[in-house]
Amino acid sequence: MSTAEVLTLTNEQYHGDHSAVSNSAKEVFRRDRLTYYCQYVTGSMPKPEQTESQALGEFVHMSLLEPERFVNEVVVPPKFDRRTTVGKQGFAAFASENAGKKFIDPETYATVKVIREAALANRAIRTLLEREGEREHTISWICPDTWLPLKSRRDLVFSDLIADIKTTQELTQESFSRSIARYGYGRQGAFYVNGEWHFSGEFKPF
């Protein structure tokens, strides 16, 4: 069995560390090896800016998995007219007072709140979130076939399964099945299951 260990990293540190290959990096390599080389090896190509959908997903994740952190680290800035000197100064002062926190606009905050309430109103999701287990659990291991260092950051890990939270606009089973294929969730699941096997020696479905 490969050597595996738990990594204590923030989300930013995890995504900024390229010493091991994550599922996201693997997907970039699968699509275009030159892009992977420039983004993850040489750093000559910046990664794409976070989309609005990705930002929403990140906030939803935090609100469900780390609610205390969401309350303490996410703030809605007051409205400042940053075209004016007074507005620029006001925003600069607010940013200084809230250094290290994540800013969210009122519309996105309202959307996150609605999604969180809807998720917790669903008995299956609420039961999953209330189960005893690890959250944002990060591990690293060595692939025994390629000797590549690998890593994964799993949303929820329990004694019998691994779970991941996905945000989607496609609410039917058929349409979400298409999302599973489009975004490679099956490959992600296989990656997580493999990592857990090398970490704990147990097979846990995803």
Side-chain angles (χ1 to χ4, degrees):
M1 184 177 296
S2 305
T3 301
E5 61 179 343
V6 176
L7 300 178
T8 305
L9 300 171
T10 65
N11 193 53
E12 291 74 17
Q13 290 171 331
Y14 175 80
H15 290 291
D17 175 25
H18 298 164
S19 62
V21 178
S22 65
N23 178 69
S24 298
K26 171 183 65 65
E27 288 298 288
V28 173
F29 182 86
R30 188 183 67 85
R31 292 192 299 267
D32 183 24
R33 297 182 182 184
L34 180 58
T35 298
Y36 175 89
Y37 179 77
C38 293
Q39 288 184 352
Y40 290 91
V41 179
T42 68
S44 58
M45 178 187 294
K47 293 182 181 179
E49 291 291 329
Q50 189 181 54
T51 66
E52 290 184 4
S53 295
Q54 290 170 337
L56 175 63
E58 180 181 345
F59 285 125
V60 169
H61 269 71
M62 191 186 300
S63 72
L64 289 172
L65 298 174
E66 302 173 290
E68 291 185 5
R69 182 174 167 230
F70 182 82
V71 170
N72 294 326
E73 297 185 15
V74 177
V75 294
V76 180
K79 288 187 176 181
F80 295 101
D81 186 351
R82 295 164 67 181
R83 296 170 298 180
T84 67
T85 300
V86 173
K88 291 177 182 177
Q89 292 174 342
F91 180 80
F94 180 85
S96 178
E97 293 171 1
N98 294 275
K101 295 185 178 181
K102 295 180 179 292
F103 294 176
I104 184 172
D105 62 77
E107 294 77 14
T108 302
Y109 182 85
T111 300
V112 172
K113 184 178 179 180
V114 168
I115 293 175
R116 172 178 164 78
E117 290 174 351
L120 294 179
N122 182 287
R123 185 171 62 179
I125 297 175
R126 189 182 187 96
T127 299
L128 195 67
L129 291 171
E130 290 178 346
R131 283 189 63 181
E132 182 177 349
E134 301 289 344
R135 298 185 177 210
E136 298 287 5
H137 192 248
T138 304
I139 60 172
S140 69
W141 71 100
I142 302 296
C143 173
D145 298 315
T146 64
W147 291 100
L148 277 173
L150 306 175
K151 65 177 181 178
S152 67
R153 187 174 181 87
R154 295 86 56 83
D155 288 352
L156 294 161
V157 182
F158 304 108
S159 60
D160 57 342
L161 62 89
I162 304 166
D164 207 56
I165 293 173
K166 303 296 185 187
T167 51
T168 181
Q169 294 182 339
E170 301 177 286
L171 298 179
T172 67
Q173 182 173 343
E174 180 181 358
S175 60
F176 189 67
S177 294
R178 291 195 294 268
S179 291
I180 291 174
R182 183 184 308 125
Y183 299 117
Y185 295 158
R187 291 187 297 273
Q188 177 190 8
F191 190 79
Y192 285 6
V193 169
N194 179 265
E196 181 63 27
W197 168 254
H198 289 294
F199 174 69
S200 66
E202 298 179 359
F203 173 80
K204 295 181 181 179
F206 173 75

